Amino acid sequence: CPHLVPYNLEIAHIHSDGSLEYHEELEERLLRLYNRSDCLPEGQLSLFGDQPNRAERLKEAYYRQGLKIAYVEGENHDPHSTLHDGVYP
């Protein structure tokens, strides 16, 4: 879905319980999951130089989530587990 964002579509994810979560909400939850939500309040300076912008933080969060859910040959996987374990409740 990140590739559809530039088209200004209203993207919603359907959870197993039938509830909807809009893509913007999912991305905010993903940022919080990896402690990458807004690092500093707007206008506040950092002691550690420039902070990554939202797009950079999202890229890192998606990458980290991809590592977490990636298939690894030889591991025992529960076929009934949620595909996006950790992102979807």
Side-chain angles (χ1 to χ4, degrees):
C1 282
H3 303 290
L4 297 175
V5 172
Y7 297 103
N8 295 320
L9 301 172
E10 187 174 55
I11 303 166
H13 301 270
I14 304 171
H15 291 275
S16 59
D17 65 359
S19 65
L20 296 178
E21 179 178 34
Y22 289 100
H23 191 68
E24 297 81 19
E25 296 167 346
L26 178 134
E27 287 185 336
E28 285 303 318
R29 192 160 48 88
L30 187 63
L31 288 170
R32 286 191 308 273
L33 179 67
Y34 292 107
N35 298 315
R36 301 302 297 156
S37 56
D38 288 336
C39 299
L40 295 172
E42 189 174 336
Q44 183 174 341
L45 299 176
S46 170
L47 295 173
F48 305 105
D50 291 336
Q51 295 293 307
N53 63 32
R54 186 175 192 279
E56 292 167 337
R57 294 191 318 267
L58 263 176
K59 183 177 178 180
E60 179 187 344
Y62 273 113
Y63 175 77
R64 291 174 66 184
Q65 181 65 11
L67 291 176
K68 181 178 178 180
I69 66 171
Y71 175 77
V72 178
E73 192 170 346
E75 287 189 7
N76 292 329
H77 292 281
D78 179 2
H80 303 293
S81 68
T82 305
L83 175 63
H84 297 284
D85 186 33
V87 172
Y88 288 90

